Amino acid sequence: MLIIAQHGEIFIILACAFGFFMAWGVGANDVANAMGTSVGSKAITIKQAIIIAVIFEFLGAWLAGGEVTSTIRGGMIDPDLLDGNPELLVYGMLSALLAAAIWLMIASARGWPVSTTHSIVGAIVGFGAVGLGVEAVAWGQVGTIASSWVVSPLLAGSIAFMLFKTVQYLIFEAKDPFAAAKRYVPMYIFLVGFVVAMVTLTKGLTHVGLDLSFGQSLLYATLFGLFLGLLGLLLERRVNPSQPSADDHFGYAGVERVFGVLMIFTACAMAFAHGSNDVANAVGPLAAVISVVQSDGVIDSAALVPWWVLILGGGGIVFGLVTYGHKVIATVGTGITELTPSRGFAATLAAATTVVLASGTGLPISTTHTLVGAVLGVGLARGIAALNLRVIGTIVMSWLITLPAGAGLAIMFFFMFKGIFG
C-alpha cells in the first residue's frame, strides 16, 4: 500500500506511456491486417485505407471497446491473491504492456502479421505464473481465451467460404453477372450495416448512456442496414459495365467494380470491429493500473474504464497505422491468395462479423487469426492450389513465437520494476 501511495503518479504516467506504445503496436500491426484485404484486392488505395481506418478504428475503440476491456483487465489474474501486495499487479501490468509493445514493434518492422491478443495474454500469463505463482493465474479464463484462437479462424473461414459460395452462385454463375451483381450487392451491404449496428447497440454503447432493449436495437440495426443498402444502391448506379478485355473472357471486370463499392463498406465495418475488440489489448492493463492507484491499492476487477483511456487507446491505434501500418498490409493483402474485390468482400465481412460478435460477448479474440482464417476460407473456395502455403507457414511460425516472446519479456520487466520500486 505504501509503495502505491509513494509512486502512484509515476505508475499512472508509465501506464499511459506504455499503453499508448502498445496501442501504437496494435495500429502498426493489426490494423494493417484489417485493411489488407481491401488494399490487396485493389478496391481502395493505401491512402483511402488509412483515412477509413483513422475514422472507424477510433470510433470502434471509443464507442464499443469497453465490454472486452474488462475481460483482458480482470479475467486472467486472480485478484484475491494480490490483496496484500497490490503493487505486484501494477508491476505486472506495466511489464505486460511494455513487453507486448516491444514484440509488436519487432514483428511490424519485419512485416510479420502477429496477434496483439497473443502478445498481451502471453505477457500477462508470463508475469503471473513466474512473478506471482502459478496459482495466481486464472487458468480457466486463459483456456477460454485460448480456445477462441482456434474457434475464431475456423468460424471466420467457414463464414467466408459460405459467403463467397453465395457470391459465385448468385452472381458469377448468372447469365448476366453484372446485372446480378447490381441486384444482390445492396443485400450484402444491408448485412454489413445490420451486423455492425446490432452488436454495437446491444453491447458497445451501454457505457456512454445508451441502454436500449433487444427489440429496439433490432429495429435500429435494421434501419441502419436499410439506409446503407440504399446508399450502396445509389453508389453502384455510377458503375457501368466495361467492355471485356483480352484477359477478361467472361466480362467480370464490371462485376468486380460493383464489389469495389461494397469493399468500402466492409473496410469501414472491419476497421470499426477491430477498434472495438483490439483496443482492449492496450487499455485493459492500463485501466487496471489506474484502478489500483486511484483506489489506494484496492484491487477491483469490475472497475469502470475511464472514457479518456479508450480515447488514448484509439489515438494510439490511429497513430500506429499512419506511421508504420504500411509495413504489414501486403502480407495479408497479397501474400496468402490472390484477392479480387469479390473475394476480399467475403473475407472482410466474415472477419468483421466474427470480431464484432466476439466483442459483443466480451471474448478477446485475435483479429489476425480471424482475418487470416477468412482469407484462407475464400482461397479454399477456389481450391487448395489458390493458396500460397509458404506464406501461410511463415505466418503460423510468427504466431507460435509470439506467446513465448511476450511471456519472456514480461517476466524480465516484472523483476526489473520490482527491483526499481521495491
Side-chain angles (χ1 to χ4, degrees):
M1 298 291 185
L2 187 62
I3 293 172
I4 298 289
Q6 284 179 330
H7 305 292
E9 287 185 7
I10 296 173
F11 290 148
I12 289 181
I13 291 168
L14 287 175
C16 288
F18 296 164
F20 189 83
F21 185 20
M22 174 66 187
W24 176 91
V26 173
N29 198 285
D30 253 23
V31 178
N33 298 338
M35 304 306 292
T37 49
S38 306
V39 177
S41 65
K42 297 183 175 61
I44 57 176
T45 65
I46 182 74
K47 190 177 289 186
Q48 290 169 330
I50 288 173
I51 292 169
I52 288 170
V54 164
I55 296 168
F56 287 92
E57 286 280 342
F58 184 82
L59 287 175
W62 182 40
L63 295 176
E67 183 78 20
V68 77
T69 302
S70 60
T71 309
I72 282 279
R73 177 161 44 96
M76 282 172 289
I77 302 296
D78 185 355
D80 294 337
L81 297 174
L82 290 165
D83 278 345
N85 303 99
E87 69 276 6
L88 295 181
L89 180 65
V90 173
Y91 302 155
M93 290 301 173
L94 291 175
S95 306
L97 283 171
L98 187 56
I102 288 174
W103 170 244
L104 285 175
M105 183 176 67
I106 294 168
S108 298
R110 294 182 173 272
W112 295 341
V114 298
S115 166
T116 55
T117 310
H118 266 190
S119 304
I120 196 70
V121 169
I124 290 175
V125 170
F127 96 77
V130 176
L132 307 178
V134 176
E135 70 281 357
V137 179
W139 294 105
Q141 181 66 25
V142 174
T144 303
I145 293 169
S147 67
S148 76
W149 298 335
V150 178
V151 171
S152 56
L154 285 176
L155 180 60
S158 302
I159 294 172
F161 182 89
M162 290 185 289
L163 269 173
F164 189 62
K165 283 295 186 185
T166 66
V167 170
Q168 282 184 320
Y169 176 74
L170 293 174
I171 296 171
F172 288 105
E173 294 177 8
K175 288 182 179 179
D176 185 347
F178 183 75
K182 296 192 82 168
R183 187 184 311 121
Y184 290 112
V185 160
M187 178 186 73
Y188 289 120
I189 296 178
F190 165 79
L191 195 59
V192 173
F194 177 79
V195 167
V196 175
M198 188 63 192
V199 178
T200 304
L201 290 169
T202 53
K203 293 289 182 179
L205 300 183
T206 52
H207 70 281
V208 294
L210 188 64
D211 195 7
L212 301 175
S213 68
F214 183 82
Q216 289 172 317
S217 299
L218 194 66
L219 175 63
Y220 288 131
T222 303
L223 291 173
F224 182 71
L226 288 171
F227 167 73
L228 276 191
L230 288 171
L231 185 61
L233 201 61
L234 293 172
L235 285 174
E236 71 173 22
R237 283 182 180 175
R238 301 180 183 182
V239 181
N240 296 313
S242 60
Q243 293 296 323
S245 60
D247 57 349
D248 182 28
H249 302 295
F250 301 101
Y252 289 158
V255 176
E256 292 295 355
R257 283 212 302 280
V258 175
F259 273 100
V261 173
L262 184 53
M263 280 297 287
I264 296 170
F265 292 96
T266 52
C268 296
M270 190 61 196
F272 185 93
H274 178 267
S276 70
N277 189 76
D278 280 41
V279 70
N281 297 328
V283 304
L286 165 58
V289 173
I290 292 169
S291 172
V292 171
V293 171
Q294 290 183 342
S295 62
D296 296 323
V298 177
I299 296 171
D300 182 8
S301 61
L304 291 173
V305 181
W307 63 268
W308 61 266
V309 169
L310 290 173
I311 290 179
L312 178 79
I317 287 174
V318 165
F319 186 62
L321 171 70
V322 171
T323 56
Y324 224 59
H326 61 92
K327 288 271 188 178
V328 184
I329 280 181
T331 305
V332 170
T334 58
I336 297 172
T337 188
E338 184 187 351
L339 290 176
T340 61
S342 59
R343 297 169 199 157
F345 147 74
T348 313
L349 178 56
T353 303
T354 306
V355 172
V356 291
L357 286 172
S359 181
T361 55
L363 183 65
I365 63 166
S366 163
T367 311
T368 306
H369 289 202
T370 303
L371 192 71
V372 169
V375 174
L376 283 171
V378 169
L380 282 172
R382 298 164 54 228
I384 193 74
L387 299 174
N388 188 330
L389 298 179
R390 183 183 62 80
V391 171
I392 294 167
T394 304
I395 291 172
V396 171
M397 278 299 297
S398 70
W399 290 355
L400 293 175
I401 297 168
T402 296
L403 272 171
L409 286 168
I411 291 165
M412 181 179 73
F413 290 134
F414 176 79
F415 286 110
M416 184 185 80
F417 287 126
K418 195 174 178 183
I420 291 170
F421 295 103

